[in-house]
C-alpha cells in the first residue's frame, strides 16, 4: 500500500482528495455519545488540509435501507469534525448529487467538506457488481485522489471501500496504516506470552477468531454473554443466561483442541446474576448476586464475571507481553455489571504488555468507565475488521489499497 506520506510528498495542493473515513458514531437523540471514530481520522484530514488539498470526507452511519433517512444523517458528525478541526466544514445534503458537487466545487485549498451518508445510496452496499460500479463512478467524479482511512469498514465489499480505489490514485491514511501495523504485531510479530480476552454477547461472532487464535495465542480468557455457551459445554447449568445451544458442539471441539495444543482456556469461576436484564436507561440498582460458575440458579441470568474471576483474569494477564481484548465481560453500561469489564481494562493498564483494545464495545467501555485511552498500546476503531483480520481473512478494503 502507498501511504499518505507518499501522497503528501508528491504534492496535493489544489487537488480534490476523497477520504473514506469511518464516522459511524453512536447517536442518542441526535447527539454523539462517543466521538472516538471522528478523532481517529483527524490526523489524516489535518495533514491533507494543511498541505492545501480540497478534502472530501465520506462515510456511512448506521444501517439505512439504501434511501435517505434523517435518523442516520451525517450532519452531527460533520459538525463535530468541524469543532475538532477548529474551522468550518461544509456539509452536502446528498452523496453524489447536485449538493455534493456544489460543496466540492466551492472548496478552496485547505478546506473540508463532508458528504451525506454513503448508505443513502443503494449502490454503496449492493451485492450487484454493476450497481456498485455505477455508484463508484459517481463518487470518482467528485475527486482526483482516494485516501482510505475508514478501518471500521475495510472488511466490507462496498463501493466506497472496494470499487472506488480502483478508479483513482489510492493511498492508505494514517489510521489504516496504524491499524495494520498493530494487527501485524498480533499475528506475525507476536511477543509472548500472548493473552487474548474475548467477550461480547454471541459466541458465534467469535468462532472464526477463536479457531485462528488456537494456533497463535498462549492463553484465551472468555467473558460476556458468550461465556455461558462455554459453561454449558462443560456440563454446567446456566439458568436463564444467554445461550447458543447450537454452538455447544463447536465450543466443545475448541476446548478439546486447546487442551491438545497446550493453549490455556480460562473460564469464569464465579458469575454475577440477576432475575432479569437491567434497565440501561434508568440504571437503578438491581440487587445482583454472585454465584459459583457451576451453580447458576434456575431463572437467574448471568450478567457479568464475578469478583473472583476478575482477580483470576488479572493474574492471567499480569505476565503477558502481548494482550488483545475484544468484547466486554458483562453489561458494562449498568454499574451493577461493570465490575468485570473494569477489572480487565485495569489489568491491561497494570501489565507491561503491548495492549490492544479491539474496537466496538470494548473501546466504548474504556471511555465510558473513565480510563485514559492513551494509556493503552492501541484502541482499534474497527471491532469487526480487527476480528476478521485475526481470523486470517482477506479484507476487501485493504486489498483494494494494495498495488
Amino acid at each position: 500500500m502507498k501511504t499518505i506520506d507518499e501522497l503528501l510528498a508528491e504534492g496535493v495542493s489544489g487537488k480534490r482528495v476523497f477520504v473514506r473515513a469511518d464516522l459511524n458514531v453512536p447517536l442518542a437523540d441526535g447527539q454523539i455519545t462517543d466521538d472516538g471514530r471522528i478523532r481517529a481520522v483527524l490526523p489524516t484530514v489535518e495533514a491533507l488540509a494543511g498541505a492545501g488539498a480540497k478534502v472530501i470526507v465520506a462515510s456511512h452511519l448506521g444501517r439505512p435501507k439504501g434511501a435517505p433517512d434523517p435518523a442516520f444523517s451525517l450532519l452531527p458528525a460533520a459538525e463535530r469534525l468541524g469543532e475538532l478541526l477548529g474551522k468550518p466544514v461544509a456539509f452536502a445534503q446528498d452523496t453524489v448529487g447536485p449538493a455534493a458537487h456544489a460543496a466540492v466545487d466551492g472548496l478552496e485549498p485547505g478546506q473540508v467538506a463532508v458528504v451525506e451518508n454513503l448508505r443513502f445510496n443503494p449502490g454503496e452496499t449492493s451485492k450487484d457488481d454493476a450497481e456498485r460500479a455505477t455508484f463508484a463512478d459517481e463518487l470518482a467524479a467528485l475527486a482526483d485522489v482516494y485516501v482510505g482511512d475508514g478501518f471500521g469498514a475495510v472488511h466490507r465489499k462496498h463501493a466506497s471501500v472496494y470499487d472506488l480505489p480502483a478508479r483513482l490514485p489510492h493511498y492508505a491514511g494514517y489510521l489504516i496504516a496504524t491499524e495494520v501495523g498493530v494487527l501485524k504485531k498480533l499475528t506475525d510479530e507476536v511477543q509472548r506470552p500472548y493473552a487474548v480476552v474475548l467477550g461480547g454477547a454471541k459466541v458465534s461472532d467469535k468462532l472464526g477468531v477463536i479457531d485462528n487464535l488456537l494456533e497463535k495465542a498462549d492463553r484465551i480468557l472468555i467473558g460476556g454473554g458468550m461465556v455461558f455457551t462455554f459453561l454449558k459445554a462443560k456440563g454446567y447449568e446456566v439458568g436463564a443466561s444467554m445461550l447458543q445451544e447450537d454452538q455447544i458442539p463447536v465450543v466443545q471441539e475448541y476446548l478439546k483442541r486447546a487442551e491438545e495444543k497446550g493453549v490455556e482456556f480460562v473460564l469464569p469461576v464465579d458469575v454475577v446474576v440477576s432475575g432479569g436484564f437491567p434497565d440501561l436507561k434508568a440504571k437503578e440498582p438491581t440487587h445482583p448476586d454472585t454465584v459459583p460458575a457451576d451453580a447458576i440458579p434456575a431463572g437467574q441470568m448471568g450478567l457479568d464475571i464475578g469478583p473472583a474471576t476478575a482477580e483470576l483474569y488479572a493474574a492471567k494477564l499480569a505476565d503477558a507481553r502481548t494482550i488483545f481484548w475484544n468484547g466486554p465481560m458483562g453489561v458494562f453500561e449498568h454499574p451493577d455489571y461493570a465490575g468485570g469489564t473494569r477489572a480487565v481494562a485495569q489489568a491491561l493498564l497494570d501489565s507491561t504488555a503491548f495492549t490492544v483494545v479491539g474496537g466496538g464495545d470494548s473501546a466504548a467501555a474504556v471511555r465510558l468507565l473513565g480510563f485514559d485511552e492513551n494509556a493503552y498500546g492501541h484502541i482499534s476503531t474497527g471491532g469487526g475488521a480487527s476480528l476478521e483480520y485475526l481470523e486470517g481473512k482477506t479484507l476487501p478494503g485493504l486489498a483494494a489499497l494494495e498495488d
Side-chain angles (χ1 to χ4, degrees):
M1 286 187 283
K2 286 185 179 178
T3 67
I4 186 174
D5 284 332
E6 293 172 82
L7 171 60
L8 293 170
E10 293 165 11
V12 292
S13 184
K15 289 185 178 178
R16 301 171 303 164
V17 181
F18 186 102
V19 177
R20 198 338 178 157
D22 179 9
L23 308 181
N24 185 26
V25 290
L27 297 170
D29 301 321
Q31 300 296 310
I32 296 169
T33 58
D34 182 352
D35 67 358
R37 284 178 169 163
I38 302 175
R39 286 185 284 112
V41 79
L42 277 181
T44 290
V45 174
E46 287 175 330
L48 290 167
K54 300 175 180 180
V55 185
I56 306 131
V57 180
S59 175
H60 69 287
L61 191 150
R63 294 175 185 252
K65 311 272 188 216
D69 182 339
F72 297 105
S73 175
L74 272 178
L75 180 58
E79 291 173 342
R80 181 61 181 147
L81 179 62
E83 290 171 5
L84 292 167
L85 288 171
K87 62 182 183 181
V89 166
F91 181 70
Q93 294 183 321
D94 59 29
T95 303
V96 291
H101 281 274
V104 172
D105 291 345
L107 289 176
E108 296 293 330
Q111 292 185 335
V112 180
V114 174
V115 296
E116 187 54 285
N117 193 336
L118 292 162
R119 291 186 183 173
F120 285 0
N121 189 304
E124 169 67 359
T125 59
S126 176
K127 290 187 169 38
D128 181 88
D129 290 349
E131 188 176 13
R132 277 200 330 275
T134 298
F135 185 48
D137 288 339
E138 292 176 312
L139 290 170
L142 293 171
D144 306 306
V145 180
Y146 177 92
V147 172
D149 215 29
F151 181 74
V154 292
H155 57 315
R156 307 291 188 197
K157 193 175 181 181
H158 291 170
S160 66
V161 175
Y162 179 74
D163 302 88
L164 182 56
R167 289 158 169 77
L168 296 169
H170 46 270
Y171 302 80
Y174 289 126
L175 176 61
I176 278 187
T178 298
E179 294 271 12
V180 171
V182 165
L183 289 168
K184 283 185 176 173
K185 290 186 179 180
L186 299 178
T187 51
D188 304 329
E189 305 158 11
V190 179
Q191 293 190 43
R192 300 186 178 281
Y194 177 19
V196 176
V197 187
L198 294 176
K202 294 181 178 179
V203 69
S204 55
D205 293 342
K206 302 287 191 328
L207 288 178
V209 76
I210 293 171
D211 186 46
N212 209 31
L213 285 169
L214 283 172
E215 306 296 326
K216 300 183 187 302
D218 300 301
R219 207 171 287 157
I220 300 175
L221 290 60
I222 304 290
M226 63 186 278
V227 81
F228 301 103
T229 303
F230 281 86
L231 294 176
K232 185 75 171 178
K234 287 178 70 71
Y236 301 163
E237 290 305 318
V238 297
S241 306
M242 176 173 282
L243 177 65
Q244 288 187 281
E245 199 106 34
D246 59 324
Q247 302 297 337
I248 289 174
V250 185
V251 166
Q252 287 172 330
E253 175 62 26
Y254 284 173
L255 291 171
K256 181 182 172 191
R257 270 178 58 200
E259 190 173 356
E260 291 169 353
K261 289 180 173 295
V263 176
E264 190 179 1
F265 234 107
V266 191
L267 298 176
V269 293
D270 61 345
V271 177
V272 181
V273 300
S274 181
F277 199 83
D279 184 334
L280 299 183
K281 282 197 172 179
K283 296 187 180 178
E284 293 180 357
T286 59
H287 312 294
D289 290 320
T290 300
V291 299
D294 61 354
I296 298 173
Q300 292 288 295
M301 178 183 292
L303 296 168
D304 194 14
I305 60 172
T309 303
E311 282 187 31
L312 171 66
Y313 283 16
K316 294 292 183 183
L317 297 173
D319 67 338
R321 301 278 310 281
T322 303
I323 302 174
F324 173 68
W325 171 32
N326 182 283
M329 297 293 97
V331 186
F332 70 92
E333 300 93 338
H334 193 288
D336 288 350
Y337 310 103
T341 302
R342 182 179 287 108
V344 167
Q346 186 62 51
L348 264 68
L349 291 185
D350 292 341
S351 80
T352 57
F354 173 64
T355 56
V356 178
V357 180
D361 285 341
S362 318
V366 163
R367 290 188 270 268
L368 180 70
L369 298 176
F371 289 93
D372 177 6
E373 55 192 295
N374 295 317
Y376 296 89
H378 180 69
I379 295 187
S380 179
T381 56
S386 296
L387 288 175
E388 291 200 15
Y389 189 101
L390 293 178
E391 285 178 38
K393 291 183 177 178
T394 297
L395 305 188
L398 295 185
L401 292 175
E402 294 170 355
D403 288 315

